Structure formats: structure tokens, C-alpha cells
């Protein structure tokens, strides 16, 4: 939230990509609380410019946080439902494609308990995509 005004809203973005929730799940926040924060961020972005598109990026699977996978999946389902119900908000599902046997399919129950994160993909993730990233990191797409 603290980065929103200084790093996003001072520009006239066409699109804003938001990834967040990783550390929140790890610190025991409930998916519902995280969704409320995301919705507040989206509301502020759209209040500044109603034409700005927002893309919510799903939580990614993490080998070190695999025991929290149910909560991550619950958060992802909530983000997806929110994006479907909110104009100019889309959902990017990176969870499924980062799992062994994953695909671009929906977040439905596709034997996900048996699938594990793909270590070779996760090992090469840049620092900014590692779980230390606080809620509300933004990538801004300008015209």
C-alpha cells in the first residue's frame, strides 16, 4: 500500500500487475484479509483512473512453504472470483503452470495435492519473485 501512491499512481498507467499475499499467508493472515487488502488497492487504482486495467497474479507454489498450499490455493480462488466479478480486473494463474503436470487450466481440484512445485523452475526465480516480497508489489505498464 505504501508504494501505491509513489510508484504507481504518479504515472498514468494503462495496466497494473499486482503480485502479493505470499508473506501474508506465511505470517498467518487469512486469505479473506489478503483479498480485502487487494480490493482496497484495486479500488484506489481505479479511483485514480477508471480506465486502468489491473491484473492480479496468483500466489506461486513454493517448496519452502508447501505446507501452506491449501491457503495459497484458497487465496488464488478468491482472487480469481474477485477478478471475474470486478470490471477491468483480470487474474493471471501462475500456480498451475509451476507445478509438475501443471497446465493453464483452471484452479479447480485437479489432483493438486499430488503435484509438487517444479524445483528447476523455482530455483531460477529472480529475487523479486521469492517469498520475501511484501503484499502489493506492482509492475506498471505505461502507454
Amino acid at each position: 500500500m505504501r508504494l501505491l501512491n509513489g510508484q504507481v499512481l504518479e504515472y498514468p498507467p494503462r495496466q497494473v500487475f499486482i503480485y502479493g499475499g505470499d508473506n501474508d499467508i506465511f505470517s498467518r493472515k487469512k486469505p479473506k484479509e489478503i483479498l480485502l487488502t487487494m480490493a482496497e488497492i484495486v479500488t484506489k487504482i481505479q479511483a485514480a483512473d477508471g480506465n486502468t486495467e489491473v491484473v492480479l497474479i496468483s500466489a506461486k507454489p513454493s517448496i519452502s512453504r508447501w505446507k501452506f498450499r491449501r491457503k495459497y490455493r484458497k487465496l488464488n480462488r478468491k482472487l480469481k472470483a474477485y477478478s471475474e466479478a470486478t470490471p477491468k480486473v483480470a487474474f493471471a494463474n501462475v500456480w498451475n503452470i509451476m507445478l509438475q503436470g501443471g497446465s493453464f487450466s483452471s484452479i479447480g481440484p485437479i489432483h493438486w495435492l499430488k503435484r509438487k512445485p517444479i524445483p528447476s523452475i523455482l530455483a531460477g526465480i529472480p529475487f523479486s519473485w521469492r517469498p520475501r516480497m511484501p503484499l502489493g508489489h506492482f509492475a506498471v505498464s505505461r502507454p
Side-chain angles (χ1 to χ4, degrees):
M1 282 293 251
R2 62 181 165 73
L3 302 176
L4 187 60
N5 289 328
Q7 293 187 2
V8 176
L9 297 180
E10 75 177 57
Y11 302 99
R14 275 187 312 146
Q15 291 181 307
V16 177
F17 296 81
I18 305 172
Y19 176 81
D22 234 339
N23 282 342
D24 297 295
I25 293 285
F26 184 68
S27 65
R28 309 275 193 231
K29 274 193 182 176
K30 294 181 179 181
K32 183 178 181 178
E33 295 174 79
I34 299 166
L35 176 64
L36 290 173
T37 301
M38 289 284 210
E40 186 179 345
I41 291 168
V42 169
T43 299
K44 286 184 178 190
I45 291 169
Q46 291 182 335
D49 183 347
N51 292 317
T52 302
E53 296 174 5
V54 178
V55 179
L56 302 177
I57 303 169
S58 73
K60 62 168 179 47
S62 170
I63 294 169
S64 64
R65 295 180 177 182
W66 193 239
K67 65 182 177 184
F68 298 108
R69 66 189 174 274
R70 286 179 178 85
K71 290 200 184 235
Y72 284 112
R73 298 221 5 123
K74 185 174 185 177
L75 172 62
N76 289 344
R77 286 191 303 272
K78 287 183 176 296
L79 292 174
K80 183 176 188 243
Y82 174 79
S83 70
E84 290 172 347
T86 308
K88 299 209 179 262
V89 177
F91 177 74
N93 179 4
V94 299
W95 179 274
N96 286 351
I97 60 173
M98 293 179 78
L99 294 177
Q100 294 171 355
S103 68
F104 287 104
S105 62
S106 71
I107 297 187
I110 311 171
H111 306 294
W112 66 271
L113 285 172
K114 295 178 182 176
R115 296 189 347 215
K116 301 276 188 203
I118 302 170
S120 61
I121 290 177
L122 296 173
I125 293 175
F127 175 76
S128 63
W129 264 83
R130 292 201 178 148
R132 292 181 286 272
M133 188 165 70
L135 175 64
H137 272 333
F138 308 95
V140 178
S141 171
R142 296 185 194 103

